[in-house]
Amino acid sequence: MLVAAAVCPCPPLLVPEVAAGAAPELDTVRAACADALGVLAAARPDLLVVVGPGDGAGPETYPEGTPGSFRDFGVGLDVRLGPDKGVPAGRELPYGLAVGAWLLGRTGWADAPVEGLAVGEALTAERCAGEGEAVAGRAERVALLVMGDASACRTLKAPGYLDERAAPFDAELARALGAADTGALRALDTGLARELQVSGRAPWQVLAGAAAGNPDLEGVLLHQDAPYGVGYLVATWA
């Protein structure tokens, strides 16, 4: 059963080495993410699954010990999903899971085994929810670290340029995450999310499915902002 979840954004800029001189601009987001991971540790899970956007349709699973890096972003920084388990070379974490692995490493996560699940933009809401239900059944006490960004169209200089639909979309998303509203997350418009370049749609719908078996979860919105024209949200469910 799902006993806790932390929702965090997944821009590589969250990693100070990638952000370089702009790193202090995201200090508040990093602090909120650290607080969210503290909620996961306090829940004493038997298993932690990091869910994030994938490069393909997915779902793709990644065992504990899978490596990742930020070399594609010009930084020679390597990360690993939990301790090294001798995972064969050649398969690396997609960027969202790599950011999740960096967060876990930064906070010294050692509270439960860690696995990864990548879900792509093409995965339907129903399939995402089904994956979540399956993940929640993996152990008696399951926690999720859910990585994903809201719209990338909040300003003229945003990656997706300005779209007037972006701010209302993000506002409703913030409300849903803060209220642990699984129905609203399941009902997210996949087409609109794609147009607004929302990377977290599929991961959040996995969360909605995972939470189906625990209606007592309560949500708290820890942070919301849109630096660089991209919506960043941090929330916890416990």
Side-chain angles (χ1 to χ4, degrees):
M1 182 176 72
L2 183 71
V3 295
V7 175
C8 295
C10 64
L13 288 174
L14 204 59
V15 180
E17 290 86 344
V18 176
E25 298 176 12
L26 296 182
D27 281 347
T28 303
V29 184
R30 294 186 192 97
C33 290
D35 290 343
L37 264 63
V39 171
L40 297 185
R44 296 173 296 161
D46 301 316
L47 172 67
L48 172 64
V49 179
V50 184
V51 184
D55 299 327
E60 293 287 341
T61 58
Y62 295 84
E64 187 169 50
T66 301
S69 79
F70 296 95
R71 299 181 188 278
D72 288 346
F73 302 95
V75 175
L77 175 66
D78 297 320
V79 293
R80 191 174 295 279
L81 194 62
D84 188 354
K85 296 290 186 178
V87 176
R91 189 165 186 244
E92 288 199 347
L93 299 170
Y95 82 93
L97 296 188
V99 174
W102 176 81
L103 284 174
L104 292 172
R106 180 173 181 258
T107 55
W109 179 269
D111 298 271
V114 185
E115 298 177 4
L117 174 67
V119 284
E121 183 181 76
L123 216 61
T124 66
E126 293 77 14
R127 183 74 185 280
C128 290
E131 289 296 321
E133 291 174 10
V135 167
R138 292 279 312 282
E140 185 174 344
R141 300 181 64 82
V142 175
L144 296 185
L145 172 56
V146 186
M147 309 297 297
D149 299 339
S151 67
C153 304
R154 293 283 294 273
T155 66
L156 292 174
K157 295 184 178 180
Y161 196 65
L162 176 63
D163 190 314
E164 294 181 355
R165 301 171 296 175
F169 183 96
D170 288 359
E172 168 58 16
L173 179 60
R175 185 207 64 78
L177 290 173
D181 188 340
T182 58
L185 294 180
R186 284 174 179 260
L188 286 174
D189 187 325
T190 56
L192 178 58
R194 184 179 304 109
E195 292 174 11
L196 296 178
Q197 300 184 22
V198 177
S199 70
R201 189 275 304 171
W204 298 325
Q205 289 179 329
V206 171
L207 168 60
N214 187 357
D216 295 328
L217 290 169
E218 296 183 357
V220 178
L221 185 67
L222 300 180
H223 180 84
Q224 60 176 323
D225 198 1
Y228 319 120
V230 181
Y232 295 162
L233 300 167
V234 182
T236 59
W237 293 15

